[in-house]
């Protein structure tokens, strides 16, 4: 039986090639994902571990919990604590660490690292062991900085150059006096690290005389645990906590692994989709191969082979195919992993240097996935073939599916589909995250139910195409009949394309609807012409608002500040605004009272008012961060959203209670509205600062749209795998269908149907099957997009369903293109059949 199985594999090389390709693509995606994420994770972990080489124990502030009227805060790490840490037994040295955001512009004026990984810190003394100098000297005073070697390499900056940069808004132009090396993971990933002397770093980051962390290095022979114990004795336990360097490295490694797991899971989901689609093709292929060898298998049964041996023979074939597909998929996956890393580098997302990681787990996963998926998909056709009585098989009376089996299938499909629809509809009534799991379950049930029902659905939907097919005469009529002749095969072929288009359509509907809701939110909440903020979302210096207020053409301005406070025993965040201008800079719907901010009058969003039991005219006591209390009055209640919400009060009231006033953003109204000239004048007022964003409502909306577009493009690219597998499935099915119908095709040729007619018949059959899958996929995608929107609508008040008719039309054309392309080879093969040999074929 083993030799027979191998013979059968080698006898059907061309047909099984498509199956191998289908499995190989899925395996390649799985192994490529694992190689890529393991490589990045390993490189980041190695890089971060090196960063703790000079940290045996880290001393950090112990966050003080909020109690009564006292706002929770972190205690300050002073120079006295640094000195105390350096004096404990077993300590060789102690370094005070200061860090913060630092935006550095390259020579073209563009921000390095897009603001998210551009950090700043302090260089300790004349020689900091953390940052070995490769050129220059230590910085001294406010006008000098050090830059990391990778930034120097990428930008061309060197010792003696002047750099334009910003910490919290205003542009400064210090001189580069040195270049250093670092193992910082952010720098390795494309960011930058700028170092000031300690006093300057404390000043620019608003931490005068204090530190963010104290790094203590142990003397030779002293363990990290022993040093930690000594520090715990010497330092105040209620103000600081100590952590060993080993623990910090382990925590960092776990954090990196956790951050990579989201990407890994997302990519593996799409790999799973490709494999799921591939499973249909494998099952279809083996069903057809077994059907073609029915008499051969029956003869084997007649000469003594058992049912188990016949099934085992089919499974051995599947095992051989699975091994070949898994090995080739693994090799392709290694190339995909390397290619994804290179792609990230070409897109400016620099990743740490390191070897390509192909772990034992990746190899085992690739082989297991490839072999198991193939064998599971082939098991049912093999079992079905073994159950056919030899005599019935030899006379081919088994070929037609019984009415009973179709009724059972349709009943099961209807029940599963109904259950899926019911669960999805129930999930739409739930709020936020509560409905996500039920909706996912309902979606899976509905897709499975529709897949089971596709043989039933194929007849009416394909019949609907009959008027169009009649235009093509005999070829069109034959194509329609061939499409519905074996509804199960048609269903399995169309389902592969259906799943891909379901996901693509659903994602497109959700993205378009979310974009529309963001547009409405921006236009509904903001009347200001421009919103000014830092590129990375950090706080702005109050100097920015002052400069903008003095700019020609500015008619109204309001900085938005944020500060924690205690109200009725709870921590709430207050938003400081310019009370005299905020009403004209926003367009928030007032639910009660008046939108009036000034003195002790405040406005509150509806959710907060409901939670606190407030209404217009209510009074409450607030305990500010500095400990002082004040009685405030609710002048009005407004409808908040994701852009503006909370308790708003006048900056003149809030600012005196803030130790270091900073702004989240600044709203600006221009005399002539938003225009390129107005934007230029604001940019010039801020010295064309690369770290600051000046956005109008359209820019805010486009920024969100850019994010959705990028995500959609990634999803389209990933789901293209499923579509490619679906194309292979259509090709496979048609090729085998042509083989099965060789005698019929020869007869058609003999009675007058020419080669063009044969080609047209096969192409139209492929087109009909693909469009059938496309219609089902787009229909399901719209339903899932609507359902997901209903779920999101519970948290986004401005959500509105948008159906992208243009894109759905493109998706339908894509399905048609799949049908046309998939039919090229099978149609050519059918047309080239020798009619006499085909008529004699069994």
């Amino acid at each position: 039986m083993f030799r027979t199985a191998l013979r059968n594999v080698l006898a059907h090389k061309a047909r099984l090639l498509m199956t191998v390709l289908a499995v190989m693509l899925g395996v390649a995606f799985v192994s490529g994902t694992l190689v890529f994420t393991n490589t990045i994770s390993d490189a980041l972990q190695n890089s971060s571990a090196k960063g703790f080489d000079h940290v045996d124990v880290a001393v950090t502030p112990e966050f003080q919990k909020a109690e009564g009227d006292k706002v929770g805060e972190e205690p300050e790490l002073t120079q006295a604590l640094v000195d105390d840490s350096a004096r404990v037994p077993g300590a060789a040295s102690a370094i005070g660490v200061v860090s913060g955001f630092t935006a550095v512009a390259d020579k073209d004026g563009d921000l390095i690292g897009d603001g998210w990984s551009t950090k700043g810190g302090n260089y300790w003394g004349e020689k900091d062991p953390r940052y070995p100098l490769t050129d220059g000297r230590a910085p001294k005073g406010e006008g000098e900085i050090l830059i990391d070697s990778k930034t120097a390499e990428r930008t061309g900056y060197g010792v003696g150059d002047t750099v334009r940069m910003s910490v919290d808004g205003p542009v400064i132009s210090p001189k580069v006096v040195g270049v250093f090396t670092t193992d910082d993971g952010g720098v390795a990933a494309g960011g930058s690290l700028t170092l000031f002397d300690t006093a300057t770093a404390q000043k620019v980051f608003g931490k005068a005389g204090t530190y963010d962390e104290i790094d203590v290095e142990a003397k030779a022979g002293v363990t990290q645990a022993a040093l930690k114990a000594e520090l715990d004795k010497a330092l105040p336990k209620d103000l600081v906590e100590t952590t060993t360097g080993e623990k910090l490295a382990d925590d960092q490694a776990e954090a990196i692994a956790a951050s990579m797991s989201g990407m890994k899971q997302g990519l593996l989901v799409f790999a799973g989709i490709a494999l799921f689609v591939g499973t249909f093709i494998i099952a279809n292929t083996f069903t057809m191969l077994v059907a073609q060898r029915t008499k051969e298998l029956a003869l084997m049964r007649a000469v003594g082979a058992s049912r188990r041996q016949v099934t085992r023979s089919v499974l051995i074939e599947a095992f051989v195919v699975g091994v070949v597909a898994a090995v080739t998929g693994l090799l392709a996956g290694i190339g995909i992993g390397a290619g994804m890393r290179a792609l990230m580098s070409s897109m400016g997302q620099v990743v740490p240097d390191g070897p390509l990681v192909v772990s034992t787990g990746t190899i085992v996963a690739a082989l297991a996935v490839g072999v198991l998926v193939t064998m599971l998909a082939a098991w049912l056709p093999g079992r079905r073939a073994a159950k056919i009585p030899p005599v019935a098989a030899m006379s081919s009376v088994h070929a037609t599916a019984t009415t009973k089996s179709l009724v059972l299938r349709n009943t099961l499909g209807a029940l599963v589909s109904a259950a899926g629809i019911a669960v999805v509809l129930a999930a739409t009534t739930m709020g936020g995250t509560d409905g996500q799991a039920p909706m996912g379950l309902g979606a899976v049930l509905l897709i499975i139910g529709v897949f089971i029902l596709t043989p039933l659905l194929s007849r009416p939907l394909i019949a609907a195409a009959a008027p169009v097919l009649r235009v093509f005469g005999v070829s069109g009529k034959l194509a329609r009949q061939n499409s519905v002749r074996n509804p199960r095969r048609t269903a399995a072929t169309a389902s592969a394309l259906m799943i891909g288009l379901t996901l693509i359509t659903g994602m497109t509907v959700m993205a378009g609807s979310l974009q529309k809701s963001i547009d409405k939110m921006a236009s509904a909440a903001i009347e200001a012409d421009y919103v000014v903020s830092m590129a990375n979302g950090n706080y702005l210096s109050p100097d920015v608002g002052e400069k903008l207020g003095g700019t020609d053409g500015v008619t109204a301005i309001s900085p938005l500040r944020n500060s924690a406070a205690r109200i009725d025993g709870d921590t709430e965040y207050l938003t400081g605004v310019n009370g005299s201008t905020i009403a004209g800079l926003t367009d928030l719907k007032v639910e009660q009272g008046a939108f009036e901010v000034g003195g002790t009058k405040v406005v509150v969003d509806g959710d907060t008012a409901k939670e606190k039991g407030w209404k217009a005219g209510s009074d409450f006591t607030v305990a500010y961060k500095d400990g002082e209390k004040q009685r405030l009055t609710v002048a009005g209640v407004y409808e908040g959203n994701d852009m503006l919400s909370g308790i708003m009060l006048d900056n003149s009231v809030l600012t005196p209670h803030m130790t270091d006033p900073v702004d989240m953003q600044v709203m600006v109204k221009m005399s002539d509205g938003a225009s390129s000239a107005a934007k230029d004048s604001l940019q010039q007022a801020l010295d064309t600062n690369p770290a600051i964003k000046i956005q109008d409502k359209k820019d805010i909306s486009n920024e969100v749209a850019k994010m959705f577009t990028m995500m959609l493009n990634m999803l389209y690219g990933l789901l293209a795998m499923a579509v490619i597998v679906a194309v292979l499935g259509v090709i496979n099915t048609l090729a085998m269908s042509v083989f099965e119908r060789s005698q019929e095709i020869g007869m058609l040729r003999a009675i007058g149907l020419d080669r063009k007619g044969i080609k047209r018949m096969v192409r139209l059959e492929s087109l009909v099957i693909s469009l059938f899958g496309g219609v089902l996929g787009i229909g399901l995608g719209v339903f899932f997009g609507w359902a997901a929107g209903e779920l999101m609508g519970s948290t986004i008040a401005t959500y509105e369903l948008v159906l992208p008719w243009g894109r759905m039309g493109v998706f339908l054309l894509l399905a048609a293109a799949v049908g046309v392309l998939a039919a090229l080879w099978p149609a050519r093969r059918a047309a080239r059949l020798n009619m006499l040999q085909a008529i004699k074929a069994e």
Side-chain angles (χ1 to χ4, degrees):
M1 296 303 293
F2 181 73
R3 287 197 299 271
T4 302
L6 289 180
R7 177 181 62 81
N8 286 329
V9 170
L10 296 175
H12 302 101
K13 300 185 194 75
R15 282 175 238 158
L16 288 172
L17 176 63
M18 298 298 176
T19 306
V20 170
L21 283 173
V23 183
M24 186 199 77
L25 283 171
V27 173
F29 209 161
V30 170
S31 53
T33 295
L34 295 174
V35 168
F36 171 68
T37 53
N38 288 342
T39 297
I40 301 300
S41 180
D42 186 68
L44 286 173
Q45 287 178 16
N46 290 338
S47 177
S48 66
K50 290 179 182 177
F52 296 111
D53 285 348
H54 297 282
V55 183
D56 287 313
V57 179
V59 181
T60 53
E62 178 75 43
F63 186 79
Q64 307 295 295
K65 294 182 179 178
E67 293 181 0
D69 292 332
K70 184 181 178 182
V71 175
E73 59 184 356
E74 287 185 344
E76 296 178 338
L77 299 181
T78 62
Q79 183 62 44
L81 284 173
V82 177
D83 296 337
D84 291 343
S85 300
R87 285 194 293 263
V88 302
S93 64
I95 294 175
V97 178
V98 185
S99 60
F101 167 70
T102 304
V104 181
D106 60 21
K107 291 187 176 181
D108 294 326
D110 298 323
L111 184 63
I112 299 171
D114 294 329
W116 295 105
S117 54
T118 53
K119 299 185 294 185
N122 66 311
Y123 189 82
W124 189 258
E126 292 294 324
K127 189 176 182 181
D128 193 327
R130 301 172 298 167
Y131 308 115
L133 290 173
T134 59
D135 192 15
R137 58 170 176 82
K140 297 176 182 177
E142 296 184 18
E144 296 182 352
I145 60 166
L146 303 179
I147 61 172
D148 67 87
S149 56
K150 289 190 179 293
T151 297
E153 182 182 337
R154 287 194 289 263
T155 61
Y157 286 133
V159 174
D161 288 336
T162 298
V163 177
R164 294 181 75 251
M165 59 184 292
S166 170
V167 174
D168 58 1
V171 174
I172 56 177
S173 301
K175 183 180 180 181
V176 177
V177 296
V179 177
F180 64 92
T181 59
T182 178
D183 293 312
D184 185 282
V187 172
S192 66
L193 179 59
T194 307
L195 301 179
F196 305 86
D197 68 78
T198 299
T200 302
Q202 290 174 327
K203 180 180 178 181
V204 298
F205 297 133
K207 299 163 185 175
T210 64
Y211 301 94
D212 296 300
E213 183 179 306
I214 301 171
D215 291 343
V216 187
E217 192 169 1
K219 290 179 180 177
V222 178
T223 65
Q224 291 186 355
L227 179 58
K228 181 181 184 301
E230 292 294 340
L231 286 166
D232 288 339
K233 292 178 187 176
L235 302 179
K237 293 181 181 179
D238 57 333
L239 295 180
V240 300
E241 60 178 333
T242 57
T243 312
T244 63
E246 291 176 357
K247 180 71 165 55
L248 288 172
D250 291 343
D251 291 346
Q252 185 84 334
E254 286 181 15
I256 290 169
S259 66
M260 295 301 296
S261 68
M263 178 190 295
K264 183 185 292 187
Q265 289 171 9
L267 291 172
L268 287 176
V269 165
F270 290 100
I273 292 168
L275 282 168
F276 184 57
V277 172
T279 303
F280 294 147
I281 297 171
I282 300 163
N284 222 11
T285 301
F286 275 93
T287 298
M288 296 164 75
L289 286 174
V290 168
Q292 290 168 15
R293 301 208 312 272
T294 299
K295 291 187 178 181
E296 175 191 328
L297 294 174
L299 185 60
M300 289 170 62
R301 288 288 314 283
V303 296
S306 66
R307 287 184 178 183
R308 186 174 295 176
Q309 285 179 310
V310 171
T311 304
R312 193 183 302 146
S313 172
V314 175
L315 289 177
I316 290 171
E317 287 184 56
F319 176 79
V320 173
V321 171
V323 169
V324 173
V327 172
T328 53
L330 175 61
L331 296 174
I334 294 171
I336 288 173
M340 289 174 75
R341 186 167 70 166
L343 179 63
M344 284 186 69
S345 298
S346 67
M347 294 172 64
Q349 302 296 318
V350 184
V351 297
D353 296 328
L356 204 64
V357 178
V358 184
S359 66
T360 305
T362 300
I363 297 171
V364 171
L367 293 174
V369 166
V371 174
L372 286 177
V373 166
T374 309
M375 292 186 71
L376 285 172
W379 175 75
L380 190 60
R383 186 170 175 272
R384 191 184 298 137
K387 291 175 69 175
I388 300 170
V391 175
M394 287 180 181
S395 58
S396 297
V397 298
H398 68 287
T400 308
T402 63
T403 304
K404 180 182 177 182
S405 69
L406 288 174
V407 170
L408 279 173
R409 176 170 181 150
N410 294 338
T411 303
L412 178 63
L415 290 173
V416 174
S417 298
I421 292 172
V423 174
V424 168
L425 292 177
T428 60
T429 63
M430 301 178 184
T433 55
D434 293 338
Q436 291 179 3
M439 184 163 290
L441 173 64
V444 171
L445 287 174
L446 182 54
I447 288 175
I448 292 172
V450 171
F451 168 64
I452 297 171
L453 281 175
T454 40
L456 178 66
L457 297 172
S458 64
R459 290 185 179 277
L461 287 176
I462 292 175
V468 178
L469 292 174
R470 286 197 194 101
V471 175
F472 298 96
V474 175
S475 297
K477 183 179 180 181
L478 290 171
R480 185 182 65 78
Q481 291 174 346
N482 290 332
S483 300
V484 296
R485 175 187 297 179
N486 192 332
R488 288 180 173 177
R489 184 187 302 166
T490 297
T493 307
S495 294
L497 191 60
M498 176 192 79
I499 291 171
L501 285 180
T502 295
L503 294 165
I504 290 174
T505 305
M507 295 290 184
T508 304
V509 170
M510 284 191 289
S513 301
L514 279 172
Q515 181 57 49
K516 181 72 172 179
S517 70
I518 296 297
D519 288 345
K520 288 176 68 176
M521 191 185 297
S523 60
I526 301 172
E527 270 298 308
D529 294 315
Y530 292 101
V531 176
V532 180
S533 61
M534 292 295 282
N536 71 330
N538 267 26
Y539 291 117
L540 285 163
S541 166
D543 294 348
V544 172
E546 293 173 8
K547 284 188 177 182
L548 293 173
T551 304
D552 291 339
V554 173
T555 57
I557 188 168
S558 176
L560 271 65
R561 291 177 186 167
N562 192 272
S563 178
R566 297 286 286 179
I567 301 173
D568 297 333
D570 297 324
T571 299
E572 301 287 348
Y573 284 88
L574 308 176
T575 301
V577 297
N578 187 332
S580 62
T581 61
I582 190 65
L585 294 168
T586 58
D587 188 20
L588 298 167
K589 182 181 177 182
V590 179
E591 297 176 344
Q592 295 178 32
F595 199 90
E596 185 179 350
V597 180
T600 59
K601 291 183 178 181
V602 303
V603 291
V604 184
D605 71 281
D607 290 339
T608 303
K610 184 178 180 181
E611 180 188 340
K612 297 290 185 183
W614 297 338
K615 56 185 179 180
S618 296
D619 292 329
F620 63 92
T621 300
V622 59
Y624 295 107
K625 198 170 183 180
D626 62 358
E628 291 190 24
K629 297 181 181 180
Q630 188 175 21
R631 195 76 176 162
L632 300 176
T633 301
V634 177
V637 178
Y638 66 91
E639 185 180 306
N641 54 47
D642 289 345
M643 290 190 171
L644 291 171
S645 62
I647 303 169
M648 294 187 194
L649 71 164
D650 196 274
N651 274 324
S652 63
V653 177
L654 179 62
T655 303
H657 302 288
M658 298 176 70
T659 307
D660 184 25
V662 287
D663 300 329
M664 296 181 293
Q665 58 188 32
V666 179
M667 291 185 171
V668 181
K669 188 82 170 175
M670 306 296 292
S671 57
D672 297 326
S675 66
S676 57
K679 191 171 184 177
D680 287 342
S681 68
L682 296 179
Q683 287 176 333
Q684 289 172 10
L686 299 175
D687 300 322
T688 318
N689 192 328
I692 293 181
K693 295 188 296 187
I694 301 174
Q695 299 175 298
D696 58 19
K697 285 185 280 190
K698 186 177 180 181
D699 293 330
I700 294 171
S701 181
N702 288 343
E703 186 174 54
V704 179
K706 184 179 178 182
M707 181 176 66
F708 284 139
T709 302
M710 183 175 70
M711 288 174 60
L712 263 185
N713 289 339
M714 287 178 63
L715 292 172
Y716 288 160
L718 295 170
L719 290 170
M721 294 286 287
V723 174
I724 291 171
V725 174
V727 172
L728 294 174
V730 178
I731 295 173
N732 215 8
T733 300
L734 288 174
M736 292 192 163
S737 180
V738 167
F739 178 83
E740 282 185 346
R741 301 204 308 265
S742 295
Q743 192 176 55
E744 175 191 318
I745 292 170
M747 190 66 71
L748 288 171
R749 290 287 315 282
I751 61 175
L753 191 63
D754 59 11
R755 287 187 173 183
K756 285 185 178 180
I758 295 292
K759 282 184 179 180
R760 191 180 300 119
M761 176 187 72
V762 175
R763 287 170 183 164
L764 288 172
E765 181 183 348
S766 174
L767 185 64
V768 166
I769 292 173
S770 296
L771 285 175
F772 169 54
V775 169
L776 282 181
I778 292 171
L780 282 173
V782 170
F783 176 71
F784 290 141
W786 166 82
E790 289 294 301
L791 194 62
M792 288 185 288
S794 63
T795 55
I796 304 176
T798 55
Y799 186 85
E800 177 185 334
L801 180 67
V802 175
L803 293 180
W805 295 106
R807 289 202 177 191
M808 288 194 292
V810 171
F811 296 156
L812 201 58
L813 288 175
L814 173 66
V818 165
V820 172
L821 291 172
L824 291 177
W825 178 61
R828 185 167 176 268
R829 184 182 177 196
R832 294 180 65 183
L833 283 175
N834 184 296
M835 70 177 73
L836 295 178
Q837 290 180 355
I839 291 171
K840 289 190 298 179
E842 293 186 3

